Amino acid sequence: MRHSRTLNAPPHAHGLRRSRLAWAAALSVLSVGALAQTAPAIPAASAPGPTTPITTTTLTVTGIRASLQQAAEVKRNAPQVMDVITATDIGKLPDDNVAEALQRVTGVQVTRVFGEGQSVSVRGLPLVRVEVDGRTLLGYSARLSPPENEQLGRNSGLDTVPSGLFGRIEVRKSPIAAQTEGGLSGSINLITPKPLDFSKFTASARLQGTYSDGTQKFEPGIQGLVAQQFDEGRIGALLAVDYTRRTTLTQAFERNNFFTRTRIGAGTAPGTSADLNGNGVADLSGDRLHYEQFVVDRSRVGINGGLQWRPSPTFNVLLEGIYSKMKTEREQDFIAWRYTGRAITNPAFDGNTIVAGTSTGTLQQAGLFRAEPTESQLLALSTQWKPGQFTVSTDLSTSQGKLDQVIRQITLDSVNRNVPGTFDYRTGVVPSLNLGTFDLSAPANYNITQVRANRLVGSMDEKVAKLDVRYGFVDGFFKSVSGGLRYRELDAKSEAFRSQVAPARAEVLPYLKTIDANGFLDSIPGSFPRGFLSTVADRDFILQRATNGAPLGRNAARDYDLNEKALALYLMADFDGEIGGM
């Protein structure tokens, strides 16, 4: 549910046609940008007598037109291939994070996890550098774990960054010498508003709510910004806050991997004859049928603040910072019938893929809890001095990213390792599975195969110093010559822990639960497990039992300690002119 306010045209604007008024009013509902239009003065009549003063009227139109003009102007003046989204676009769309805001940019592909945009690729390549105002924004994605973050030290998980903190988002598809290296496919630059961008006291707020049918929860989303100027516009302060929370229920058929089998003779797996030459024939067959549900509790808070001092038109000092924190907690229950390597009788084929048949398999059921709180923060102090045609800029910044991932799981395996089942992938969106008389909810049918606890602590810290000098030419072929120096030091560390045991059934009985047969994928027809046994991933029991009271064991295969230092010098010229009349 979103609330918006319509800005009506003032009564004195009757000179415009009604259609234009309606268009301007409609645009004002969608936008937060402003386009000022000033009506020209009407010349006085040449008749004799005193001249009557003519009052001019200013009509301010707020709409997407201003946003498009701003974006086009930025792209036109950019020295590289670039796409731009301005604050009007971000503010008027229900985007939870930066990844979702970027899905409207040509050449950008968004990866979604549990229904929310989480990472992006540019022109099909995932190695994308993320910056805020040209500075590295470090962080982890709240999806899996650091090995899946291919861009260690170069990127931030875009699901952790609220889109409402930024005035403009740039997607740079080609590099220039002045940019920091690290983005193979491109870079994303998030531009924050500055305190002195506002000519007077400014305050804005946005409140929205999201209702999730699965969890039957109504949860808020809040954005706010306050900016004020002091000392006749020489000093400015700004604070922006963005908070969202969402709890969702996802039920699905998931993760069925297909692999190659070889059938050699009649009656053997998968049960058809060899080819005319007696050779084995390769077919593709599934490895499991896996049904699961997730309850994901996700909350995100972002804060952006800045202090700006401009004692003269030629000198500017800016202290600014951004902080974001995302809490993701997931409760997962699943049932999987694994028939890997088993003989398949009465197989049905679609090409060389087995899409139906009868086999035997092991049933595995589990309850899992996973928490992945992440933090990102960036603090920077910059100056800019413009003596004559020169511009001298300095920038000192520090950026940190943190992750503390926790996983707790209790797993059940069927006592019978050969549970017969008949499957069919052709029955609808969810494949069917008939397990005959096997009672999925009877504790006596299962062994407690695993009580597991994992923890992974990751951190990244980068410090950067920059010096840039630019000389702008007034006339001529060359527009400017610039050069600069950068020093960057990055430290990244990961420590992983893991412990597990196989306890007796009696210990786990208090933590068993049953998934409701009437509520699992109830809107989808088909014959497959609707109700099954799962477990409550209780924190105290798992930590005590998995470690027998001792600390978690080290998982050294996932540990790393990285230090990187880089010194760069660049020189760049910008020119503009005609060649052959073009």
Side-chain angles (χ1 to χ4, degrees), residues 80 142 359:
Q80 60 196 127
S359 185

Side-chain angles (χ1 to χ4, degrees), residues 119-421:
S119 62
V120 299
S121 300
V122 177
R123 292 180 290 195
L125 295 174
L127 299 178
V128 182
R129 178 179 172 83
V130 179
E131 299 177 338
V132 172
D133 299 318
R135 309 175 184 105
T136 306
L137 179 64
L138 296 178
Y140 297 92
S141 169
R143 173 180 56 158
L144 293 171
S145 51
E148 281 77 21
N149 288 263
E150 303 107 330
Q151 306 151 69
L152 173 65
R154 310 292 190 271
N155 184 22
S156 174
L158 293 176
D159 55 341
T160 67
V161 187
S163 62
L165 297 181
F166 305 102
R168 189 170 78 238
I169 299 179
E170 301 174 347
V171 181
R172 299 167 172 174
K173 299 179 180 179
S174 63
I176 59 175
Q179 287 179 211
T180 304
E181 82 292 339
L184 177 64
S185 59
S187 63
I188 295 169
N189 191 28
L190 313 174
I191 307 297
T192 58
K194 304 299 183 284
L196 293 182
D197 289 347
F198 304 89
S199 59
K200 57 185 178 180
F201 173 76
T202 302
S204 67
R206 174 185 175 188
L207 175 65
Q208 68 180 37
T210 301
Y211 179 78
S212 299
D213 290 333
T215 57
Q216 298 183 349
K217 288 186 177 182
F218 184 84
E219 293 164 306
I222 302 170
Q223 293 179 4
L225 179 145
V226 177
Q228 177 65 295
Q229 293 73 43
F230 309 93
D231 193 20
E232 298 181 346
R234 296 185 183 90
I235 299 174
L238 178 145
L239 179 66
V241 179
D242 190 304
Y243 172 80
T244 58
R245 182 173 183 178
R246 188 179 179 189
T247 306
T248 58
L249 170 68
T250 301
Q251 296 176 333
F253 171 79
E254 190 67 71
R255 286 206 305 255
N256 182 47
N257 302 318
F258 280 77
F259 64 95
T260 300
R261 292 174 182 258
T262 300
R263 50 190 166 100
I264 299 175
T268 62
T272 58
S273 61
D275 63 12
L276 295 177
N277 298 318
N279 298 317
V281 179
D283 290 312
L284 291 176
S285 174
D287 120 284
R288 78 185 78 171
L289 282 92
H290 186 110
Y291 307 87
E292 62 188 349
Q293 74 171 19
F294 303 89
V295 177
V296 180
D297 184 356
R298 215 168 0 202
S299 62
R300 181 190 301 105
V301 61
I303 302 173
N304 174 45
L307 292 173
Q308 190 173 5
W309 178 44
R310 189 183 294 157
S312 71
T314 62
F315 187 69
N316 182 75
V317 180
L318 179 62
L319 175 66
E320 56 187 336
I322 185 170
Y323 172 84
S324 66
K325 181 176 183 178
M326 182 169 180
K327 184 192 76 172
T328 303
E329 294 184 352
R330 181 205 316 174
E331 295 181 11
Q332 176 182 353
D333 301 285
F334 73 82
I335 176 173
W337 181 66
R338 302 169 180 267
Y339 60 105
T340 308
R342 308 294 182 91
I344 300 175
T345 57
N346 303 317
F349 290 87
D350 181 356
N352 71 330
T353 302
I354 301 173
V355 294
T358 299
S359 185
T360 61
T362 301
L363 278 166
Q364 185 176 86
Q365 293 153 233
L368 178 146
F369 172 83
R370 187 169 190 154
E372 293 166 311
T374 66
E375 290 183 63
S376 294
Q377 56 187 21
L378 172 64
L379 182 65
L381 175 65
S382 61
T383 66
Q384 188 178 75
W385 179 41
K386 295 183 177 181
Q389 301 302 113
F390 282 95
T391 301
V392 181
S393 304
T394 65
D395 192 277
L396 299 173
S397 65
T398 176
S399 179
Q400 291 89 33
K402 297 179 181 179
L403 168 71
D404 190 350
Q405 180 195 74
V406 173
I407 300 175
R408 302 191 298 269
Q409 180 173 336
I410 302 177
T411 306
L412 313 175
D413 276 3
S414 59
V415 176
N416 182 1
R417 314 292 288 181
N418 297 289
V419 178

Side-chain angles (χ1 to χ4, degrees), residues 426-472:
R426 305 166 299 178
T427 53
V429 283
V430 176
S432 66
L433 174 62
N434 188 341
L435 298 172
T437 60
F438 188 89
D439 189 349
L440 291 170
S441 299
N445 287 337
Y446 299 95
N447 291 318
I448 314 301
T449 57
Q450 185 185 96
V451 171
R452 174 169 69 97
N454 289 50
R455 187 181 181 196
L456 189 146
V457 181
S459 64
M460 295 184 285
D461 189 337
E462 183 183 76
K463 295 178 175 58
V464 180
K466 298 181 182 179
L467 171 65
D468 297 277
V469 180
R470 179 181 181 273
Y471 182 83

Side-chain angles (χ1 to χ4, degrees), residues 75-120:
K75 290 194 286 185
R76 182 179 298 112
N77 295 328
Q80 60 196 127
V81 180
M82 178 187 294
D83 279 302
V84 178
I85 307 175
T86 66
T88 302
D89 293 308
I90 300 169
K92 75 181 182 65
L93 296 169
D95 297 315
D96 292 318
N97 58 53
V98 171
E100 296 208 335
L102 289 168
Q103 67 185 325
R104 295 164 186 84
V105 176
T106 302
V108 175
Q109 300 81 39
V110 177
T111 299
R112 294 182 175 275
V113 178
F114 302 118
E116 185 172 315
Q118 179 242 293
S119 62
V120 299

